[in-house]
Amino acid sequence: LLSLKLENETKGKLQKQICQVVLDHFEKQYTRELGDKWTSVRDVLTSPLCWQYAVLLNKFSQSAELENALRVKGYHPLFQGTLPYLPRSLKCYISRTPRRFPAQKHQTGKLKEYYLLNAASLLPVLALEVKDGEDVLDLCAAPGGKSVAILQCAYPGQFHCNEYDDLRSRWLKQTMESFIPDPLVNLITISKLDGRQIGDFKPELYDKVLVDAPCSNDRSWLFSSDTQQATLRLIQRKELSSLQFQLLRSAIKALRPGGSLVYSTCTLSKAENSDVINLILKSCTNVMPVGISEMAKAVSQEFAFLSDTQQHELLVLPEKGKAWGPMYVAKLKKI
């Protein structure tokens, strides 16, 4: 009875926190862009009690007990099909029912055993296909979940994690210290450069670049507690696609010919997703799209995708029981 009461109280609190200004804005835009699909997506995004969390295991702090504990609690491995790229060292568990495994606190000198994340966050990493010895740039790396996931997959030759924002950069540093052992953490470069200029500072230096761009984060924006700040965000939202375009142009300059780039956001917004990629493909003659539909097909049991996307892109739509995303992923190759 008590747990039911607490659940109802939590439900009440969470429902009250929905920012009406943002919801109204999304309602107009996403009804236009997603049609009927928006209703079911909105139901998930506005109901945190049905959100799910995946448990990414840390291979540098492995414990068989943890895997057993997860299985006992009803978790199962996220990736069970045959994917074009799936390193054996990348292990992630999910539960069909919405539940949250307890988070681990940061302790100096002690590595965490797992990272809690939205399972869709691993799709850009799988699309990037990092191999041992490749030089890799994570252009907008904070808070560090995708950087940690890349290191679960392979040992890059040089790994450059960049985060322009000061506070987020400190967060990134702490994440790396929490998950990556000393000898390896010393080989990682963490910088605070303006991502729009990295291509000029470091031309044709990397085999793989991840651009997990700053975007209008649909999940968190819906729960903005400050209406004034939310309104300002919605006004500034129009400028994000210009920043994303500049970051992509910079990333292309930083890539070696033959290298590949993955662009990702956690928004449903067409202006920040396919529109940005289409503009890049029109204005940069030295890049071509790379198909990722095989990867999407291989994980379609666990993720719901928007159906009418192009071969080189995918958009994860949150659904009940598959409450992952939003996550947009596109892949390009430098010629």
Side-chain angles (χ1 to χ4, degrees), residues 12-208:
K13 277 180 194 163
L14 290 166
Q15 295 306 336
K16 271 180 215 156
Q17 287 171 355
I18 290 170
C19 182
Q20 199 56 47
V21 178
V22 175
L23 185 58
D24 292 347
H25 179 89
F26 284 1
E27 198 73 55
K28 279 192 201 116
Q29 182 182 347
Y30 295 148
T31 300
R32 193 174 64 246
E33 291 179 12
L34 300 172
D36 297 344
K37 291 206 165 55
W38 166 240
T39 311
S40 56
V41 170
R42 182 194 57 209
D43 290 349
V44 173
L45 290 181
T46 55
S47 312
L49 288 171
C50 73
W51 293 4
Q52 289 160 273
Y53 294 88
V55 183
L56 174 67
L57 304 195
N58 184 11
K59 72 176 182 185
F60 303 110
S61 172
Q62 239 170 2
S63 98
E65 294 89 67
L66 175 59
E67 284 197 66
N68 292 335
L70 284 162
R71 286 179 190 274
V72 166
K73 284 182 183 289
Y75 283 78
H76 64 270
L78 169 63
F79 303 114
Q80 300 189 75
T82 312
L83 277 98
Y85 169 85
L86 181 62
R88 287 177 66 183
S89 52
L90 181 75
K91 289 184 178 180
C92 185
Y93 281 79
I94 60 164
S95 163
R96 278 262 176 261
T97 51
R99 61 177 84 190
R100 189 163 184 169
F101 211 65
Q104 290 181 311
K105 285 195 170 74
H106 173 74
Q107 289 175 277
T108 310
K110 192 171 190 289
L111 292 182
K112 291 186 181 182
E113 291 184 316
Y114 55 88
Y115 190 98
L116 298 178
L117 78 173
N118 184 321
S121 302
L122 293 176
L123 297 180
V125 173
L126 291 176
L128 198 60
E129 300 190 21
V130 176
K131 311 277 193 305
D132 287 349
E134 288 182 326
D135 296 327
V136 181
L137 167 64
D138 188 349
L139 193 71
C140 317
K146 291 181 183 70
S147 297
V148 166
I150 286 169
L151 289 166
Q152 302 305 313
C153 296
Y155 293 96
Q158 60 161 316
F159 192 25
H160 181 178
C161 300
N162 183 67
E163 179 52 55
Y164 186 47
D165 182 86
D166 192 51
L167 187 69
R168 285 172 64 81
S169 181
R170 289 205 294 272
W171 189 3
L172 169 67
K173 209 165 185 297
Q174 192 181 80
T175 301
M176 297 313 260
E177 284 166 7
S178 289
F179 286 90
I180 313 303
D182 270 347
L184 188 56
V185 97
N186 296 335
L187 299 174
I188 299 163
T189 305
I190 295 179
S191 66
K192 289 195 290 185
L193 300 167
D194 184 336
R196 293 168 294 187
Q197 294 166 0
I198 277 185
D200 294 323
F201 297 149
K202 299 178 180 293
E204 301 197 345
L205 209 66
Y206 304 99
D207 302 298
K208 303 277 164 78

Side-chain angles (χ1 to χ4, degrees), residues 246-316:
Q246 290 171 65
L247 288 169
L248 272 170
R249 274 236 303 239
S250 174
I252 291 162
K253 283 182 190 171
L255 260 186
R256 290 182 180 131
S260 46
L261 173 156
V262 168
Y263 172 74
S264 61
T265 74
C266 52
T267 180
L268 298 159
S269 176
K270 188 172 167 286
E272 296 174 54
N273 294 339
S274 50
D275 287 359
V276 173
I277 291 295
N278 289 338
L279 191 58
I280 278 288
L281 288 168
K282 272 191 197 123
S283 57
C284 300
T285 52
N286 60 343
V287 286
M288 58 180 277
V290 178
I292 52 173
S293 53
E294 280 304 306
M295 180 186 82
K297 210 185 293 173
V299 295
S300 58
Q301 247 191 311
E302 302 295 357
F303 298 97
F305 296 105
L306 181 67
S307 53
D308 54 347
T309 53
Q310 296 177 82
Q311 291 284 304
H312 60 275
E313 59 179 358
L314 59 86
L315 178 63
V316 179

